[in-house]
């Protein structure tokens, strides 16, 4: 269990027989919601749980689960998520793997739940991400949540709970999963490369998301971003826009999944730290570069920074499908440069 989830785990285990028939784990991506659901499912299905409530890993039920063949553990995940990276990136018969949980999956689940449990009396259904269900799929699952089969527990994970039907949320007991605080984040990063901690902080303190980004090779891109953005207002924003356009098209950026959306996200977080310093607050996302941020914040206008942040929010909505990447970059960097007093209005 991840250290920052230990307290949540103890509270879950303490429920014992009072465990609700449906739990909804909500929180930002990368905080370990799915890992928590997996551990809880394993403990529920285990024949001999340990004193701290975890699955033993040795009984027949655990061995079946670890092999991926436990008949009483059901997963509702998008086909694109369950497929291998090679399969999900390729198309079969000209049709890409679905990124949604489709209604046929729920119907198959209902058929499976209509049969007596194979191992003991417990059955567990994990739905992740729950927001991947469209209205028809969610309504189909709702029937099972309203009249759950005996001994069946539903574990839903969501990073966007507002996208769920209110009726789905109302049938579940919600558990909020928060990112680790700075102390826990430092403890997690103790034996890890320093760039991993930088990625986690830049992403809002999400350790598991940082690990995924690091595995894709995102760390060098974050380092370049900090170097480039920190050079403003001394750098011509239009020239930097041209350099960033080439950067986004590079083989390294494409291989790491570094795109316009990620770039805009980092700019917005940089603006957030600048505004916080200007108002006497603390640096949240880029604490290793507080000196650079502080120097820029001295000349920044709070109202202009707030306007810039709101502009970046609008830019983020179309960042994944920009009509003209160069113009978007120029517009974003010009707005930022004006906010920090780099150019006259």
């Amino acid at each position: 269990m991840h250290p920052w989830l230990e307290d949540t785990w103890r509270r879950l285990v303490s429920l014992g027989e009072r465990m609700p028939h449906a739990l909804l784990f909500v929180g930002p991506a990368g905080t370990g919601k799915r890992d928590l659901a997996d551990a809880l499912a394993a403990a529920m299905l285990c024949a001999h749980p340990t004193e701290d409530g975890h699955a033993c890993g040795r009984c027949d039920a655990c061995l079946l689960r670890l092999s991926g063949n436990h008949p009483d553990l059901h997963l509702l995940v998008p086909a694109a998520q369950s497929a291998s990276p090679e399969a999900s990136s390729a198309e079969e018969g000209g049709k890409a793997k679905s990124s949604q949980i489709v209604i046929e999956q729920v119907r198959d689940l209902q058929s499976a739940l209509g049969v007596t449990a194979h191992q003991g009396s417990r059955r567990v259904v994990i739905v992740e991400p729950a927001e991947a269900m469209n209205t028809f799929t969610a309504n189909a699952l709702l029937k099972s949540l309203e009249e759950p089969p005996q001994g069946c527990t539903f574990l839903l994970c969501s990073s966007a709970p507002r996208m769920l039907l209110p009726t789905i949320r109302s049938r579940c007991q919600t558990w909020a999963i928060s990112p680790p605080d700075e102390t826990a984040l430092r403890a997690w990063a103790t034996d890890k490369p320093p760039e991993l901690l930088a990625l986690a902080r830049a992403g809002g303190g999400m350790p598991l998301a940082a690990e995924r980004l690091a595995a894709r090779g995102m760390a060098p891109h974050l380092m370049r971003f900090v170097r480039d953005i920190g050079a403003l207002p001394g750098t011509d924003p239009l020239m930097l826009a041209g350099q960033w356009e080439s950067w986004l098209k590079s083989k390294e950026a494409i291989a790491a999944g570094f795109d316009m959306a990620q770039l805009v996200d980092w700019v917005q977080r940089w603006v957030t730290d600048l505004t916080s310093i200007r108002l006497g607050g603390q640096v949240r996302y880029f604490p290793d570069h507080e000196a650079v941020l502080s120097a820029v914040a001295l000349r920044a206008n709070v109202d202009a920074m707030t306007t810039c942040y709101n502009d970046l929010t609008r830019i983020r909505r179309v960042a994944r499908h920009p009509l003209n990447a160069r113009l978007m970059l120029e517009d974003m960097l010009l707005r930022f440069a004006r906010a920090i007093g780099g150019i006259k209005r």
Side-chain angles (χ1 to χ4, degrees), residues 122-133:
R122 281 290 186 102
R123 284 177 287 188
V124 182
V125 179
I126 296 177
V127 185
E128 195 268 336
E131 63 269 19
M133 296 185 292

Side-chain angles (χ1 to χ4, degrees), residues 48-319:
H48 308 290
T50 61
E51 289 186 4
D52 58 2
H54 287 285
C56 71
R58 297 184 299 274
C59 66
D60 290 342
C62 284
L63 294 178
L64 278 171
R65 176 183 55 80
L66 292 170
S67 68
N69 295 313
H70 199 298
D72 297 324
L73 176 60
H74 306 276
L75 302 180
L76 283 184
V77 299
Q81 181 176 309
S82 60
S84 65
E86 294 79 7
S88 60
S89 61
E91 293 187 352
E92 294 183 3
K95 187 176 182 180
K97 294 285 186 179
S98 175
S99 59
Q100 287 194 335
I101 298 173
V102 297
I103 193 169
E104 287 77 11
Q105 292 175 267
V106 175
R107 288 170 178 164
D108 290 343
L109 170 68
Q110 291 169 337
S111 296
L113 295 179
V115 179
T116 304
H118 294 75
Q119 298 282 321
S121 59
R122 281 290 186 102
R123 284 177 287 188
V124 182
V125 179
I126 296 177
V127 185
E128 195 268 336
E131 63 269 19
M133 296 185 292
N134 60 31
T135 303
F136 300 106
T137 304
N139 278 322
L141 181 66
L142 183 61
K143 296 178 181 179
S144 296
L145 292 177
E146 290 174 334
E147 300 178 6
Q150 184 68 30
C152 184
T153 302
F154 292 83
L155 305 177
L156 287 71
C157 304
S158 177
S159 299
R162 290 185 180 181
M163 294 178 62
L164 299 177
L165 291 179
T167 46
I168 290 287
R169 297 198 303 268
S170 68
R171 297 303 188 277
C172 304
Q173 185 180 96
T174 300
W175 287 66
I177 310 300
S178 303
D181 58 23
E182 180 62 20
T183 301
L185 196 62
R186 283 182 174 275
W188 163 79
T190 299
D191 57 348
K192 295 177 175 60
E195 59 267 22
L196 199 57
L197 180 57
L199 279 170
R201 284 170 166 164
M206 314 300 173
L208 306 185
E211 289 180 346
R212 290 194 291 269
L213 290 174
R216 283 161 38 189
M218 193 67 76
H221 298 288
L222 177 62
M223 294 173 61
R224 174 174 174 175
F225 164 77
V226 170
R227 184 181 70 245
D228 288 354
I229 200 75
L232 288 171
T235 303
D236 178 5
L238 296 180
M239 182 181 70
L240 183 57
Q243 294 172 353
W244 278 9
E245 181 185 26
S246 299
W247 178 21
L248 289 170
K249 294 179 180 178
S250 68
K251 292 180 180 179
E252 295 79 11
I254 294 172
F258 177 64
D259 56 11
M260 182 74 77
Q262 181 67 77
L263 186 55
V264 175
D265 179 69
W266 283 343
V267 174
Q268 192 168 37
R269 292 175 190 272
W270 186 266
V271 169
T272 299
D273 277 351
L274 280 172
T275 307
S276 179
I277 290 177
R278 194 71 177 84
L279 294 173
Q282 296 182 333
V283 175
R284 177 183 179 187
Y285 300 110
F286 301 95
D288 294 335
H289 307 280
E290 185 169 357
V292 175
L293 286 160
S294 297
V296 176
L298 288 174
R299 59 188 299 168
N301 178 279
V302 173
D303 290 339
M305 294 300 295
T306 302
T307 299
C308 181
Y309 181 91
N310 293 334
D311 290 340
L312 288 167
T313 298
R314 288 190 288 271
I315 291 173
R316 283 184 64 176
R317 296 189 186 120
V318 295

